[in-house]
Amino acid sequence: MTIPGPAESVEPVVRTSSGAVRGRREGGLAVFRGIPFAQPPVGNARFAAPRRPRPWDGVRDAYAFGPPPPQDPGAAGTAGPPDVPGGDDWMTVNVWTPDPDPAAHRPVMVWIHGGSYKLGHSGNPAYDARRIAADGDLVVVTLNYRLGMEGFAHIEGAPANRGLLDQVAALVWVQENIAAFGGDPEQVTVFGESAGAGSVASLLAMPRAAGLFRRAVAQSVPGTFLSAELAADLGTALAAEVGLRPTVADLSGLAPDRLVEAGQALAPKMPGDVARWGRLAPTGNPFAPVVDGEILPVAPWQALASGAARDVELLVGHNRDENRLFTLMAGELGEIGEDRASAALRLYAPGGEAAYRAAFPDASANDLYERVQTDWLFAMPSLHLAEAHLAAGGRAHVYELTWPAPAHGGALGACHVLDVPLLFGTFRAGLALLQFGGAEPSEEALALSSGFRTAWTAFARTGDPGWPAYDTRQRLVRVFDADPTVAPYPEEASRRLWEGHEFTALPPVGREV
């Protein structure tokens, strides 16, 4: 229930299942930050499935974001604000609502942040959800989840995919509590980008998440899901970096920052060891959801094709030039030569190097390198997720962002994460600093940003983002550019190359192809 105050200026107080929380009124919204949805996963809860939050007496101030989970510091611009409090109360949610009135029944959007499953948190200014909540007149929830070894490494004696279980716990909290904030628990849309989109895809496939949301938005779905065998080998390698075995008994006494250091130590070794880590090697990232047969029974594409989420409406897409962000961050933008391009094509191209070169006869070595890695890691996994959903009778809408980031003379193109500042309208936070250069957004950028929010919030409200559902005859998608259009899927050459390819969990050592 909402506890009323005598005037509009009174700070809003809402009673949750664990206790009352007091938020603030900001720009016409009621905002609540740092509400626990689970107990801190420390002590005897370390590496365990999330546990329900402990109740509290009185009214808890929900003014500040909860502390970020232990994590790799990552790239410049991805960390949260420096004034976020420390501590181990990582499992928190934040709520933006036009009015915490239980009678409002507004649609709810739940954001799952990206960050390679090893960095990021909901207090990042890039995820300030006020514009989405205000423009769409709906409730927005953002959340933290365990990252890196805490959340995703294979550890004997611990459940797999602990980070995904945290997300399920947050969605359970939404079901139990969001009505008190003015939301409708029967109209919940999960949305996420990159690792967040991989999480959304996982939730679609997880029996424990069934019934917790009605719609899903997956922005740039990564194709990296690990087989149980590969995850076990990675877990052994990670634990070896700190001289231990990958068991709860060995690792539970180790400080979380030491486990972060283990991931940091293994990551740079991976690209040079394709023989061991296969297609995962060049990513330098040992963390991804694990197809363990229980929590995540099968990879999302197989789950959707079998009808696991047939009744969930899906919006999915990607950016045209995803991989360019990574070559920029590596200091190699536009500088990839024939040797590197050939190696990437041999590793990733489903029909072999010759097939890609034939499909893109005028492409430079650099462009082929970017294209095949964009296709393998994000573009084709995203498209195939829509097609798998269709195969089981589900409904999906597809988009592609082709508008180029304005910084670096447009050389970044429509790179990875560009959709995030456009969606949230946060042009001077996070990786948007690389993409927009800290400059004021142009009228064109603002119009495109408004178009993103209009589509996403319309989808959350009605299941229709404003363009036709995808089918395998016309293949119509929304192309987000300076003048957005509806057109056949633009990457037809890539689509044909990957037609028939099956995205599955990456196989164990010795069985990579």
Side-chain angles (χ1 to χ4, degrees):
M1 60 175 283
T2 302
I3 301 174
E8 175 66 22
S9 61
V10 172
E11 291 179 326
V13 176
V14 169
R15 190 171 301 281
T16 75
S17 55
S18 298
V21 291
R22 180 185 291 109
R24 284 179 168 155
R25 296 197 182 275
E26 301 175 7
L29 300 171
V31 184
F32 302 79
R33 297 180 174 90
I35 306 172
F37 68 82
Q39 293 179 31
V42 297
N44 62 10
R46 185 95 179 267
F47 307 126
R51 302 175 181 180
R52 294 183 68 85
R54 297 184 182 93
W56 59 85
D57 296 325
V59 180
R60 178 183 177 127
D61 289 340
Y63 298 158
F65 292 110
Q71 60 186 270
D72 190 324
T78 60
D83 58 346
V84 169
D88 55 21
D89 202 0
W90 313 323
M91 301 293 92
T92 57
V93 294
N94 319 292
V95 182
W96 286 257
T97 177
D99 181 21
D101 178 1
H105 302 297
R106 287 180 169 87
V108 180
M109 297 187 73
V110 180
W111 171 253
I112 303 175
H113 69 76
S116 302
Y117 306 103
K118 64 180 181 180
L119 59 91
H121 87 113
S122 61
N124 189 324
Y127 310 137
D128 183 340
R130 58 184 168 173
R131 294 172 184 84
I132 298 175
D135 290 3
D137 189 33
L138 43 70
V139 179
V140 182
V141 178
T142 66
L143 60 96
N144 287 345
Y145 58 98
R146 279 174 284 182
L147 303 165
M149 287 190 72
E150 299 285 343
F152 290 93
H154 171 85
I155 298 174
E156 295 174 25
N161 299 307
R162 296 172 298 280
L164 298 179
L165 292 177
D166 294 342
Q167 296 166 16
V168 171
L171 288 168
V172 169
W173 183 93
V174 168
Q175 287 296 310
E176 294 178 349
N177 294 286
I178 207 63
F181 293 86
D184 183 351
E186 295 186 1
Q187 284 203 80
V188 174
T189 298
V190 291
F191 67 129
E193 180 269 345
S194 193
S199 297
V200 168
S202 299
L203 292 167
L204 288 165
M206 290 171 62
R208 298 186 191 206
L212 296 179
F213 54 93
R214 181 175 178 179
R215 301 183 178 103
V217 183
Q219 304 168 213
S220 304
V221 180
T224 47
F225 284 72
L226 308 180
S227 64
E229 297 88 349
L230 181 57
D233 191 36
L234 283 161
T236 299
L238 285 160
E241 293 293 342
V242 290
L244 297 172
R245 298 172 303 161
T247 67
V248 169
D250 274 29
L251 299 177
S252 59
L254 206 63
D257 60 350
R258 293 283 287 123
L259 295 189
V260 171
E261 291 170 5
Q264 292 172 317
L266 180 61
K269 300 175 183 178
M270 292 177 63
D273 199 356
V274 173
R276 181 170 188 182
W277 306 120
R279 294 188 180 101
L280 190 67
T283 71
N285 183 19
F287 305 112
V290 181
V291 179
D292 67 310
E294 179 186 353
I295 292 168
L296 185 57
V298 296
W301 301 273
Q302 288 73 49
L304 265 63
S306 68
R310 184 182 295 112
D311 296 332
V312 177
E313 294 166 312
L314 176 64
L315 171 58
V316 61
H318 64 87
N319 305 346
R320 183 184 58 199
D321 310 299
E322 300 267 11
N323 198 70
R324 289 194 196 173
L325 177 68
F326 306 117
T327 49
L328 171 75
M329 293 167 65
E332 299 174 334
L333 185 63
E335 298 179 1
I336 303 299
E338 285 291 346
D339 289 348
R340 296 274 301 281
S342 290
L345 290 166
R346 288 195 301 271
L347 186 61
Y348 296 124
E353 179 178 359
Y356 249 81
R357 291 188 181 275
F360 301 98
D362 300 322
S364 66
N366 185 86
D367 289 346
L368 287 168
Y369 175 89
E370 300 283 17
R371 182 74 263 155
V372 73
Q373 295 204 96
T374 288
D375 286 347
W376 173 75
L377 188 53
F378 295 113
M380 295 303 108
S382 299
L383 183 67
H384 283 215
L385 194 72
E387 295 191 345
H389 200 42
L390 265 62
R395 179 181 174 89
H397 292 80
V398 177
Y399 74 90
E400 183 178 20
L401 173 62
T402 58
W403 185 80
H408 306 279
L412 273 172
C415 65
H416 193 54
V417 191
L418 181 60
D419 49 315
V420 171
L422 290 171
L423 175 59
F424 284 84
T426 49
F427 298 100
R428 291 185 172 182
L431 289 170
L433 293 170
L434 295 177
Q435 297 159 340
F436 290 84
E440 286 289 337
S442 65
E443 290 299 319
E444 185 174 278
L446 291 172
L448 189 57
S449 178
S450 177
F452 260 91
R453 284 192 297 281
T454 297
W456 266 232
T457 57
F459 178 75
R461 189 173 296 280
T462 68
D464 182 357
W467 64 89
Y470 184 81
D471 63 47
T472 54
R473 183 175 62 86
Q474 292 183 295
R475 303 187 186 279
L476 295 179
V477 308
R478 169 70 82 187
V479 180
F480 283 102
D481 211 318
D483 295 310
T485 60
V486 174
Y489 180 63
E491 313 307 330
E492 178 65 8
S494 292
R495 188 197 69 77
R496 287 184 176 276
L497 285 166
W498 290 83
E499 195 169 28
H501 177 83
E502 188 173 9
F503 284 93
T504 59
L506 295 172
V509 176
R511 284 162 44 193
E512 244 316 357
V513 294

